[in-house]
Structures are given as structure tokens and as C-alpha cells.
């Protein structure tokens, strides 16, 4: 993670659990999200970059992603926080439905 004095932090490379938690707090504040989720890192994912688990109010990020592709972690975190925010608003929404897509656009991700 890089940052400059008097500027917003840049999360272009999240390389630790601490960076991940700082990035989560930044996203929540910057975009006014109202979710309360725990963040953890797991080595059990074979194909997933991350996941949101509503029952545990938890976001899990792939250890492989964190260690090998730190430049992709911030986007993945936004993706999972979008799931958490939409689920918190409407617990019957589709995982990648129009509400989620709209939230992704609000978070600055259009693809």
C-alpha cells in the first residue's frame, strides 16, 4: 500500500492482512457503505478470489491472490463489499443482479 501526505491512500498493492483491513475501512468511509463485516484470508480457495458469507458477516480473500496478485486485491474487496452492502439492503437480491451491478458502478467498477 502506498500513500502520499495529505492525499487519499492508494491501495494499488495490498500485501498484508493489515493493508486489507485498512482498505476495507477506507472503502466503507469513502463510499458511505453501512456494512459491518469481518475480513479474513484463506488458503482454501482453488478458483475464487474472494467471497462474502452473509451468515457470518464475513469476507474471505484468497491467500494466493494476496501473495501473488496484490494489485487485484482492492478490486476484489470492492466486489465482495458490494455483495455485503446489497445483501444488507435486500436479502433476496441476485448475487450478480442489477442492484449489485449498480453498487459496483457506485464503487467505480464498471465491468
Amino acid at each position: 500500500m502506498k500513500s502520499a501526505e495529505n492525499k487519499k491512500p492508494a491501495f494499488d498493492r495490498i500485501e498484508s492482512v493489515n493493508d486489507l483491513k485498512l482498505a476495507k475501512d477506507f472503502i466503507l468511509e469513502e463510499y458511505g457503505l453501512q456494512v459491518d463485516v469481518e475480513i479474513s484470508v484463506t488458503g482454501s480457495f482453488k478458483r475464487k478470489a474472494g467471497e462474502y458469507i452473509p451468515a457470518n458477516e464475513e469476507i474471505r480473500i484468497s491467500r494466493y491472490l494476496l501473495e501473488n496478485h496484490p494489485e487485484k486485491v482492492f478490486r476484489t474487496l470492492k466486489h465482495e463489499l458490494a455483495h455485503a452492502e446489497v445483501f444488507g439492503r435486500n436479502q433476496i437480491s441476485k448475487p450478480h443482479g442489477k442492484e449489485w451491478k449498480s453498487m459496483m458502478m457506485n464503487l467505480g467498477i464498471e465491468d
Side-chain angles (χ1 to χ4, degrees):
M1 181 184 77
K2 301 175 189 174
S3 65
E5 250 182 76
N6 298 322
K7 291 186 178 182
K8 294 178 185 176
F11 293 101
D12 54 342
R13 295 183 60 84
I14 296 174
E15 298 174 326
S16 71
V17 174
N18 188 53
D19 286 352
L20 193 56
K21 290 178 180 181
L22 290 171
K24 178 199 85 166
D25 292 343
F26 172 78
I27 293 166
L28 294 180
E29 185 176 327
E30 182 74 8
Y31 296 96
L33 303 185
Q34 300 297 310
V35 298
D36 183 19
V37 294
E38 293 297 318
I39 302 290
S40 65
V41 176
T42 181
S44 66
F45 292 162
K46 300 293 181 204
R47 300 177 63 95
K48 291 191 266 188
E51 74 178 347
Y52 167 60
I53 306 168
N56 299 351
E57 296 182 341
E58 177 185 14
I59 291 174
R60 298 190 315 168
I61 300 294
S62 162
R63 180 171 310 284
Y64 179 84
L65 186 73
L66 188 68
E67 292 175 352
N68 296 285
H69 300 285
E71 72 284 359
K72 295 181 180 181
V73 176
F74 192 61
R75 185 193 186 289
T76 300
L77 181 58
K78 282 184 171 183
H79 177 113
E80 301 307 333
L81 284 168
H83 283 300
E85 181 75 9
V86 169
F87 183 84
R89 292 179 182 180
N90 178 4
Q91 296 185 2
I92 59 171
S93 64
K94 293 182 179 181
H96 293 131
K98 67 179 181 178
E99 292 172 283
W100 176 83
K101 288 177 183 174
S102 176
M103 178 58 62
M104 289 289 283
M105 288 180 63
N106 291 343
L107 296 175
I109 300 172
E110 296 189 31
D111 57 358

